[in-house]
């Protein structure tokens, strides 16, 4: 029988290195994929992934399963760690419009449809990239700014030069479109 993520986190909170090892092996591909998506540099993504698991170990006792799944909690830690790295790296300019365009160009990659690469696509976030490419550009940019870079609605409005209400609407609609695209891609994968 395989231990649940919650049981593994409880083991990590009790300083059980075996629980930590299983937890890391189980989630390392997803954490690395998210980090790579955000920072764009494999070596830096590896550092972010390592920092994510260190933070998870350090704060495992603060995980509350009533507030959400362990995977969601872990990926939030990874996203925050990646954003911290981007904020520290002022030498690497990151424009969300350029990122949205990069995502759109990746979704036209002919190898992305190869069934043998499906596991790699999920692990590296290319499934999300492909879904985000189907979201209208203004909404995709707002989603990237809010979800990846952690900007507030007001900061998105200021960055994109639109009123606050428009920025919030773009974020909300973009997330809805993204959710619908991901749901439809899962249905296609099941058939």
């Amino acid at each position: 029988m395989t231990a649940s993520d919650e049981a593994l986190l409880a083991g990590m909170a009790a300083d059980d290195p075996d629980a930590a090892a299983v937890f890391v092996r189980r989630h390392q591909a997803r954490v690395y994929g998210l980090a790579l998506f955000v920072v764009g540099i494999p070596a830096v993504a590896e550092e972010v992934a390592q920092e994510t698991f260190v933070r998870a170990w350090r704060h495992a006792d603060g995980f509350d399963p009533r507030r959400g799944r362990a995977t969601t909690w872990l990926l939030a830690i990874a996203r925050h760690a990646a954003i911290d790295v981007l904020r520290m790296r002022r030498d690497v300019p990151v424009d969300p419009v350029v990122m949205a365009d990069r995502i759109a160009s990746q979704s036209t990659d002919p190898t992305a449809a190869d069934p043998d690469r499906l596991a790699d696509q999920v692990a590296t976030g290319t499934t999300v990239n492909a879904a985000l490419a189907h979201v209208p550009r203004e909404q995709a940019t707002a989603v990237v700014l809010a979800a990846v870079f952690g900007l507030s609605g007001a900061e998105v409005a200021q960055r994109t030069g639109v009123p606050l209400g428009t920025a919030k609407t773009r974020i909300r609609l973009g997330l809805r479109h993204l959710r619908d695209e991901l749901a439809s891609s899962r249905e296609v994968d099941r058939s």
Side-chain angles (χ1 to χ4, degrees), residues 3-184:
S4 69
D5 288 338
E6 292 77 14
L8 293 173
L9 281 171
M12 288 171 62
D15 290 331
D16 178 359
D18 294 331
V22 171
F23 190 77
V24 169
R25 277 193 302 271
R26 184 177 292 174
H27 297 290
Q28 65 188 3
R30 292 179 79 183
V31 168
Y32 173 77
L34 176 63
L36 183 60
F37 175 76
V38 175
V39 299
I41 302 168
V44 176
E46 288 175 14
E47 292 173 14
V48 169
Q50 182 175 6
E51 176 63 21
T52 298
F53 289 111
V54 167
R55 290 181 187 183
W57 179 293
R58 202 175 303 142
H59 301 290
D61 60 344
F63 171 72
D64 184 359
R66 295 172 296 187
R67 296 184 66 200
R69 294 180 14 213
T71 305
T72 305
W73 177 78
L74 180 66
L75 292 178
I77 293 172
R79 185 174 72 82
H80 289 290
I83 290 170
D84 289 347
V85 166
L86 286 179
R87 287 182 179 145
M88 298 297 287
R89 292 182 51 99
R90 299 288 181 208
D91 61 326
V92 180
V94 182
D95 184 351
V97 174
V98 172
M99 182 179 272
D101 288 342
R102 189 180 87 205
I103 291 167
S105 69
Q106 287 176 350
S107 70
T108 60
D109 179 3
T111 62
D114 182 359
D116 294 336
R117 294 192 55 206
L118 182 59
D120 291 335
Q121 290 172 356
V122 172
T124 61
T126 55
T127 301
V128 174
N129 294 353
L132 194 56
H134 294 289
V135 174
R137 184 173 184 200
E138 297 83 16
Q139 294 173 12
T141 300
V143 167
V144 168
L145 283 169
V148 176
F149 291 99
L151 299 183
S152 68
E155 291 168 327
V156 171
Q158 182 182 18
R159 181 78 185 256
T160 58
V162 299
L164 176 59
T166 302
K168 288 182 176 182
T169 300
R170 286 180 178 175
I171 294 167
R172 182 175 36 80
L173 292 175
L175 288 171
R176 184 179 301 154
H177 280 115
L178 183 59
R179 183 192 66 218
D180 293 345
E181 284 293 328
L182 288 170
S184 68

